[in-house]
Amino acid sequence: MKHPFSTAAIPSFLAATAVVISSSVFAPANAASMSFTINDFTGADTQVKFTLDDAIAGSGKVQFKVDYLSTGKNTIADIRGVFFNIFDDTLLSGLQVVGTDVTSKQFGPAGKVDSVGSSSNNLNGGGGSFDAGVEIGQEGIGKGKGDIQSTIFTLSHSSKALTLAQFSQQDFGVRLMSVGSATKREDSSKLKGQAPYYTPPPPPPKQVPEPTTVVALGIFAVGALKVAKKKPLVSASITVA
């Protein structure tokens, strides 16, 4: 197929191209992460660290990194369940989770999720209920997906972009099993805490291009105009096969 393309459009086309190039070169990304720890409310003395990031996994997705922190004599534990609330409850029906260690999930009803995967994987006894729960691995440290001290999963939505703002000051919980040391792991623990207030980072400052880049773009535009002026605008055309 052939497409007529008038040379009269060359100056504006090349100038627009130059603008696009300069904009893409000088526009830095704007993303953030937040970290916080939660502590046990019942069971063994334990602590877990959350790190949430809304850029690592791609735009509109939030990566959860959950790490067990060695506390006193409890140097190891198996992460079994991760629970959390989300600011906008209407998003629950469209949530999706992907992670190597994820074995089950429960999104909603809002404020009523108290277990995930199995009835024993819960935060009963003072933890309350949550909007969502994600089961990690399998019960029993001798199984293929057991004994997990650190896990990563990505949360997304089928039609909405997620940001860290959805988790600002929201409650989080974790169910730990097989808590103890290398020689004795007979305890369990349930943890609960709150994420900090999230303040979106300010827009990145506009960067002034280097002088050499400005000169190059200027030469590019002037050269394009000279080429266009040499062509008769009334009858000239370019045919692209």
Side-chain angles (χ1 to χ4, degrees):
M1 181 180 293
K2 296 183 178 181
H3 304 279
F5 183 75
S6 173
T7 54
I10 291 177
S12 58
F13 171 76
L14 294 178
T17 303
V19 172
V20 171
I21 293 173
S22 62
S23 297
S24 61
V25 170
F26 303 116
N30 184 30
S33 66
M34 66 177 177
S35 298
F36 56 95
T37 58
I38 64 173
N39 299 284
D40 60 280
F41 65 85
T42 187
D45 179 25
T46 53
Q47 192 174 61
V48 167
K49 179 181 179 181
F50 279 85
T51 303
L52 275 58
D53 193 293
D54 64 0
I56 293 178
S59 179
K61 301 178 181 180
V62 176
Q63 176 184 279
F64 283 54
K65 188 174 188 296
V66 187
D67 297 294
Y68 175 71
L69 303 180
S70 178
T71 306
K73 65 178 182 178
N74 297 319
T75 59
I76 193 170
D78 182 20
I79 300 173
R80 288 286 296 117
V82 177
F83 300 84
F84 58 90
N85 287 340
I86 189 168
F87 179 77
D88 186 355
D89 294 340
T90 65
L91 299 178
L92 289 170
S93 61
L95 288 183
Q96 301 169 340
V97 62
V98 175
T100 302
D101 301 322
V102 174
T103 48
S104 184
K105 61 185 183 299
Q106 180 67 44
F107 298 141
K112 295 185 178 181
V113 177
D114 55 11
S115 65
V116 61
S118 67
S119 58
S120 62
N121 194 9
N122 64 69
L123 293 183
N124 296 343
S129 298
F130 295 78
D131 296 333
V134 177
E135 183 182 33
I136 304 298
Q138 298 173 313
E139 188 170 347
I141 58 177
K143 296 184 179 181
K145 280 194 173 184
D147 210 11
I148 297 170
Q149 287 80 53
S150 179
T151 189
I152 294 176
F153 58 84
T154 299
L155 197 69
S156 61
H157 191 274
S158 58
S159 61
K160 303 285 187 180
L162 299 181
T163 69
L164 295 183
Q166 288 294 334
F167 306 99
S168 177
Q169 296 185 300
Q170 299 299 305
D171 288 338
F172 284 73
V174 171
R175 176 73 159 107
L176 298 175
M177 295 183 182
S178 302
V179 180
S181 63
T183 57
K184 186 180 180 181
R185 301 179 60 181
E186 299 177 354
D187 291 332
S188 65
S189 185
K190 299 176 182 180
L191 304 84
K192 184 179 180 181
Q194 189 179 80
Y197 179 78
Y198 171 70
T199 302
K206 294 182 179 180
Q207 297 184 8
V208 178
E210 295 293 332
T212 53
T213 305
V214 174
V215 172
L217 290 174
I219 293 173
F220 176 78
V222 171
L225 289 172
K226 287 182 177 180
V227 171
K229 287 179 179 179
K230 291 180 180 180
K231 300 290 184 178
L233 299 181
V234 175
S235 58
S237 64
I238 296 175
T239 302
V240 180

